Amino acid sequence: MAAFISLNIKAKLALLGITLLIILLVAGFSPLERTLGSNIRLVYVHGAWVWAGQLAYAGAALAGLFGLLVQPAWHGWSQALGWTGLFFWWTYLPMSVLVMQMNWGGIFWSEPRFQTPLAFGIAGLLLQAGLWVIGSPRLNSAANFIYGVVLWGVLRSLTNVLHPDSPIADSGSLRIQFFFVALLLLAVILGAQLAVLFKGNSPTVDQINKS
């Protein structure tokens, strides 16, 4: 990671593109499923994407807490990880619509597993936009901590209507589980790369101390 941080912007973007390409290749070679057929491949990516988003928001919350209580330099990472979570969330939501259309034959807008993430997506977008305008690193960290805690708490308590509880874990197929974990790890790597890119635009310690 230290080597990636030291690269120039063009090299970082090139490696970001390579990671995306690897994700597409792994998804393309992932195993099919008897019921969903090739549609399962989008489900793999969809699942990895939402977990990567949740982990990014958890990281933003923890970094924000560290920034407030331990070291102000963590404020910048809280902001960068918050933007990273936003990226995954707003690319995951269209996948959800496509997955519903492909596998359920239509879009079930009342599904709690879609309604609630959509609400969090809108709230997260407005929150990050407002924090960017205000420009207070401490407020950013505090807001990211609260948002991350609430998001994880609410998502853990959601009920399902059509959405299965844990399709990958309940599949019973080690190959399916292996490819999903591989895609999740790649998504986390992509998230780390995005966070480093976003961190380049975050405030310095001197700017934090002046705010």
Side-chain angles (χ1 to χ4, degrees):
M1 181 56 71
F4 182 81
I5 292 174
S6 66
L7 295 174
N8 60 45
I9 185 67
K10 289 184 178 180
K12 288 176 181 176
L13 289 173
L15 287 175
L16 196 72
I18 291 171
T19 303
L20 280 170
L21 180 60
I22 294 172
I23 289 172
L24 291 174
L25 288 172
V26 172
F29 284 101
S30 58
L32 305 182
E33 196 265 343
R34 182 172 53 186
T35 303
L36 299 181
S38 61
N39 291 349
I40 190 67
R41 287 170 173 160
L42 182 59
V43 175
Y44 297 144
V45 179
H46 161 268
W49 235 240
V50 68
W51 272 106
Q54 290 184 68
L55 290 173
Y57 279 130
L62 290 174
L65 187 63
F66 270 67
L68 292 168
L69 300 179
V70 180
Q71 172 56 253
W74 284 97
H75 289 313
W77 284 111
S78 180
Q79 182 184 66
L81 286 164
W83 290 350
T84 301
L86 197 64
F87 164 82
F88 279 109
W89 218 252
W90 276 102
T91 48
Y92 137 76
L93 286 170
M95 286 189 215
S96 294
V97 174
L98 189 55
V99 165
M100 285 191 285
Q101 182 64 52
M102 291 170 61
N103 298 321
W104 299 348
I107 302 171
F108 184 43
W109 299 108
S110 299
E111 171 62 50
R113 290 276 175 186
F114 178 77
Q115 275 191 339
T116 302
L118 177 61
F120 271 105
I122 295 170
L125 181 61
L126 294 174
L127 176 66
Q128 293 301 326
L131 291 171
W132 181 78
V133 171
I134 294 170
S136 169
R138 292 182 178 86
L139 179 60
N140 189 97
S141 287
N144 280 340
F145 176 75
I146 294 171
Y147 181 88
V149 170
V150 172
L151 180 140
W152 271 82
V154 171
L155 292 184
R156 293 306 94 196
S157 63
L158 281 182
T159 57
N160 301 325
V161 178
L162 295 179
H163 193 289
D165 288 330
S166 184
I168 302 298
D170 296 338
S171 68
S173 169
L174 291 178
R175 287 191 69 226
I176 286 177
Q177 293 166 0
F178 171 81
F179 272 86
F180 174 76
V181 170
L183 285 168
L184 176 57
L185 290 175
L186 286 167
V188 170
I189 291 171
L190 180 69
Q193 293 172 329
L194 285 169
V196 170
L197 281 173
F198 292 142
K199 178 66 169 59
N201 295 320
S202 62
T204 63
V205 174
D206 289 340
Q207 290 172 325
I208 291 169
N209 292 331
K210 292 177 182 178
S211 65

